[in-house]
């Protein structure tokens, strides 16, 4: 009598752990911001009469922070969109510099 092995289980989709981690971090961010916790001041209090440096610091901080989150979000999106798929073939290009 021949033994019939059951077929292997389908492969798990990659990224489940990453999505879970992102949901957890987002949830923790919401909890921390809604708790009323105050972060200590990053910059010392203004000593001089010219306070434009503080404003410039925060403008640069938020602009670079926005573009950082945007590029990381796009990176994750395209990594998920163009990930390896079952039955897909790689295309090799000769002479691509």
């Amino acid at each position: 009598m021949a033994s019939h092995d059951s077929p292997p289980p389908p492969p798990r989709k990659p990224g489940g752990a990453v999505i879970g981690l992102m949901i957890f971090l987002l949830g923790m961010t919401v909890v921390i911001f809604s708790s009323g916790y105050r972060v200590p001041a990053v910059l010392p209090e203004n000593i001089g009469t010219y306070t434009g440096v503080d404003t410039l610091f925060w403008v640069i901080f938020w602009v670079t922070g926005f573009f950082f989150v945007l590029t990381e979000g796009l990176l994750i999106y395209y990594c998920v969109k163009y990930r390896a798929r079952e039955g897909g073939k790689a295309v090799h290009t000769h002479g691509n510099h």
Side-chain angles (χ1 to χ4, degrees):
M1 180 193 268
S3 68
H4 296 287
D5 292 330
S6 62
R12 292 177 27 165
K13 290 187 176 183
V18 173
I19 292 172
L21 178 64
M22 289 172 59
I23 291 171
F24 172 75
L25 291 175
L26 179 63
M28 291 305 296
T29 302
V30 169
V31 167
I32 289 171
F33 277 114
S34 64
S35 71
Y37 175 75
R38 297 289 174 226
V39 178
V42 176
L43 298 173
E45 290 186 33
N46 299 329
I47 296 174
T49 57
Y50 181 70
T51 60
V53 175
D54 292 347
T55 305
L56 181 62
F57 171 82
W58 287 113
V59 168
I60 292 172
F61 175 80
W62 286 112
V63 169
T64 56
F66 169 76
F67 283 107
F68 172 76
V69 170
L70 178 69
T71 55
E72 292 302 311
L74 287 172
L75 176 68
I76 291 169
Y77 170 75
Y78 284 114
C79 284
V80 170
K81 182 178 179 182
Y82 295 110
R83 69 184 180 270
R85 298 182 194 258
E86 188 70 31
K89 290 187 85 173
V91 178
H92 299 282
T93 305
H94 178 71
N96 186 358
H97 298 289

